[in-house]
Amino acid sequence: MTATSSSATPHILALAPWHLPDLNYQPAHYMLKETLLSIGNGYLGSRGSFEEGAPAGVSHCEGTYLNGVFSSEPIAYGESAHAFAENNHKMLQVANGKVLKLVLDGESVDIHGAINHQRQLDMLQGVLERDWLWQSQSGKQLKIHSKRFVSQRHAHLLAIELTITAVNFSGPLDVFSALDARYPGYHKAGDPRVGEMSIADTLSLMQQQLSHNGGQMLHSAKGSGTLVAAIWQDLLPPDARCLTPNEQAANLLQQHYQLQLVAGKPQQLHKFVIYCHAGATSEHSRLTQQAASLLQQACSTGFATLLTEQQQWWQSFWQGADVSIDGDLAMQQGIRFNLFSLAQSAGRNGQSNIAAKGLTGPGYDGHYFWDTEVYVIPVMSLLQPELAKQLLAHRYSQLDAARQRARQMSHNQGALYPWRTIGGEECSAYFPAGTAQYHINAAIAYAIRSYYLATADHAFMMEMGAEMLVETSRLWLDLGFFNERQNHRFEIHQVTGPDEYTAIVNNNYYTNAMVKLQLAFCYAFLKDKTELCQSLAVSEQELSLWQQAAEQMYLPFDSKLNIHAQDDSFLQKKRWDFANTPAEHYPLLLNYHPLVIYRHQVLKQADTVLANVLLDDQIHLAQKARDLAYYEPLTTHDSSLSACIHSIAFAETGDIKRAQDFFGDSARMDLDNHHGNTEVGVHIACMAGSWLCLVQGFAGVRVRPAGLFLAPNLPEALGELRFRLHYQQRLLEITVQGQQARCQLISGAPLTLYLHDQAITISQGATL
């Protein structure tokens, strides 16, 4: 199969290095732009919808989300069995506080009366701006400008500035400001990736109340009982009047104001909205008091100061994370948007993770998958190490739930992390492509290893990392076995690897290889730490078993084809008939029963190829090339996780043209909607993967136990690549041209790194 070129699809938003300009209202793309223009801060996310609401007749998906906060509902099975997942978690949609509607002479001010209309998401500041000129049927014109941001400094805050100018008249204007918990959910029948979210199905209203120029709501999340408070206040121009009566229907609070406009004189309104939550056992009054206090702080600080804080946060982020690409504006915009989205979506409190769609839409119900550990944490470990640590801390907070899940699955020891979850409980209702993906454990171990190699954070390992490694390693010794009939090699049966078009197999190469890496790392870290082993009840015999299992791990190999076999049975199957599969039948999962797919040699995404990329120098390049040549033509890339891995694999094995094609697909996966489903949220793992394409693929950066390695091979079309990364308390800037690199140590102790395997030592301020 071939990756989609970024030039094959017209750009939905205009090209710019630091902005996402929306230059024209396009009804057909309204819902897609809601996703692309989303704003968030790791806790609170808000889709890029109009303040006055979606225009009549267009597809839309309103959404304001809280990360790590969920409702729970029983999963209905036609036939159930022991240890099937019992409940589904759904990321909470909460009240929409963006609502600001204008009415002039009884006529609604909306997009249909716009003479011109532009928006842009400023990624340097994290601000969504909107400028438009509107004309009434009688010819009166309004110039409207808004700024909107979700604060990076204040996790609970959404802030809006609305500036209105009468162009050719003077007179009254009605303004309606609301908190709306009645907006409809979104569902797409027949697509399991979308999920279904609805406030009506997930929140129960407990109380609501209007107050001076604002109001508040308190809800309880169904199933989990979590309490959620939303409160807002408007700061009005001096001559504004609050009119009565105010609307107060269930789940809708609305204030009605009237402004006296004077031609050419701007009038400005500020709206601050606070969202916060607490456990089901918390006191209602304490939560509402907390929300009111946070709101008062925001109002006292003022919009201008809050905006300055926002700008400073993003400036600091980009100083440590920016990537510069010369010669390709589309790729430049794409990689910055992807990094921007990662920063907006990742949980920062140790109690939340990063959902597959971030905080940009309802896709996958807001669940956490292995995407975080294999794609996001390795990136964040080099860009924002503290954030990566918080994501791992979230997994640690759910270790007891993982132990419980292991017992449900009849394992007498260890921990089994859920394939998809929010609150720690397995939420996958389809076990062949869910629970059977035991490699989630190895993914978490890989993330721990990646973070530790990048940071040398020994304290984290002692406090959290080692315990997670031990418990997940114990699971492998309970699941796998030493096969006496095969020279005591260690085998793992009846699991599903990353390729979800192949399920329930023996000895999936990826799973076995990643478990081998995990057990070897766990053994190496613990072998000389007697006190730590004692505290975790790890005996010398257990350590020895882990070492033995790693050394005797069976990695299936076909000597006739001279490739790694994806599993014990994959190469015995009939190949999928790609030539006679219509283009509209992709993705296969939406058009064929799973059994039809399982009977064939066909891949949804990288599997063996992914293992080879993650195993780095443990697999010879010639072997990687042979495996890649066999499996890529069988891969549909129906998963957004696939293209970036193939880009790295082709770069590593020397096919720079193919690597560049797959990078283009990854870098603009969402901006150009390559998979046709960005309307329900961005593809977070793919976004992280696009950074890996550049840094691991073209710059050849590898973080190994022996140190930091570079082997650049940049395509000519990209000109020059410059990026920064954090490595063991140092900040580096690396510039790549062709097969050469310049390295500058911006801060930190002197460092010896390896360029094309040649040792180079640099000191702070020096460039080599």
Side-chain angles (χ1 to χ4, degrees), residues 382 449-456 616-617 696 700-711 725-728 730 732 734 750-761:
L382 295 169
R449 180 180 183 269
S450 297
Y451 173 76
Y452 181 61
L453 292 180
T455 64
D616 189 23
D617 58 348
Q696 283 193 354
V701 172
R702 296 293 185 276
V703 182
R704 297 169 180 158
L708 186 66
F709 289 73
L710 288 82
L725 55 80
H726 297 261
Y727 175 71
Q728 296 187 2
R730 302 171 178 90
L732 294 163
I734 299 173
L751 172 68
T752 297
L753 51 80
Y754 301 85
L755 178 60
H756 294 297
D757 292 328
Q758 178 182 351
I760 299 173
T761 300

Side-chain angles (χ1 to χ4, degrees), residues 215-494:
Q216 64 180 356
M217 290 182 182
L218 181 69
H219 288 93
S220 174
K222 296 180 181 179
S224 68
T226 302
L227 301 178
V228 179
I231 184 172
W232 104 91
Q233 186 167 348
D234 300 310
L235 302 185
L236 305 172
D239 59 349
R241 292 192 302 137
C242 185
L243 303 181
T244 56
N246 299 311
E247 186 172 346
Q248 188 173 349
N251 282 305
L252 176 66
L253 295 175
Q254 182 168 266
Q255 294 280 12
H256 180 190
Y257 312 115
Q258 191 171 82
L259 309 184
Q260 294 299 320
L261 301 182
V262 177
K265 182 179 179 181
Q267 294 266 35
Q268 202 165 71
L269 177 151
H270 292 115
K271 183 172 187 177
F272 301 106
V273 192
I274 294 291
Y275 300 90
C276 50
H277 75 281
T281 58
S282 302
E283 294 182 9
H284 302 174
S285 58
R286 185 175 301 174
L287 180 62
T288 54
Q289 288 171 8
Q290 177 194 0
S293 175
L294 292 171
L295 181 63
Q296 179 58 44
Q297 291 174 25
C299 293
S300 298
T301 302
F303 188 89
T305 299
L306 292 168
L307 179 59
T308 298
E309 293 176 349
Q310 176 85 345
Q311 294 164 338
Q312 291 171 345
W313 190 94
W314 279 107
Q315 181 182 29
S316 176
F317 170 78
W318 289 117
Q319 283 177 348
D322 187 29
V323 173
S324 174
I325 304 173
D326 287 349
D328 196 323
L329 181 57
M331 296 302 105
Q332 177 67 84
Q333 183 188 47
I335 193 66
R336 282 184 175 144
F337 173 62
N338 293 348
L339 291 172
F340 179 81
S341 299
L342 288 172
Q344 286 201 125
S345 297
R348 305 173 191 174
N349 56 7
Q351 300 300 312
S352 57
N353 205 287
I354 184 167
K357 298 292 187 180
L359 291 167
T360 67
Y364 293 111
D365 288 339
H367 288 164
Y368 310 142
F369 293 82
W370 69 310
D371 304 26
T372 303
E373 283 72 32
V374 169
Y375 293 82
V376 177
I377 288 178
V379 172
M380 287 304 180
S381 295
L382 295 169
L383 293 182
Q384 287 191 300
E386 182 57 34
L387 190 151
K389 181 179 179 179
Q390 292 303 315
L391 294 175
L392 287 169
H394 166 262
R395 289 295 194 186
Y396 183 73
S397 74
Q398 296 185 343
L399 182 56
D400 282 341
R403 290 187 179 104
Q404 181 179 353
R405 180 59 178 163
R407 304 302 170 268
Q408 291 171 349
M409 293 296 293
S410 303
H411 299 295
N412 295 321
Q413 61 179 0
L416 175 60
Y417 278 92
W419 176 244
R420 58 188 296 177
T421 190
I422 299 178
E425 180 182 3
E426 177 63 80
C427 295
S428 177
Y430 184 64
F431 75 87
T435 298
Q437 295 200 55
Y438 272 70
H439 64 87
I440 178 68
N441 266 21
I444 291 170
Y446 175 77
I448 293 169
R449 180 180 183 269
S450 297
Y451 173 76
Y452 181 61
L453 292 180
T455 64
D457 187 347
H458 189 73
F460 163 78
M461 294 299 294
M462 300 300 286
E463 294 169 9
M464 291 183 275
E467 187 176 357
M468 284 189 283
L469 280 176
V470 165
E471 288 299 294
T472 53
S473 294
R474 283 173 171 156
L475 189 283
W476 294 123
L477 268 291
D478 194 77
L479 175 66
F481 68 105
F482 293 96
N483 192 335
E484 296 179 359
R485 303 179 66 179
Q486 296 290 344
N487 298 317
H488 292 273
R489 69 191 187 192
F490 194 79
E491 299 188 14
I492 301 173
H493 288 188
Q494 298 297 284

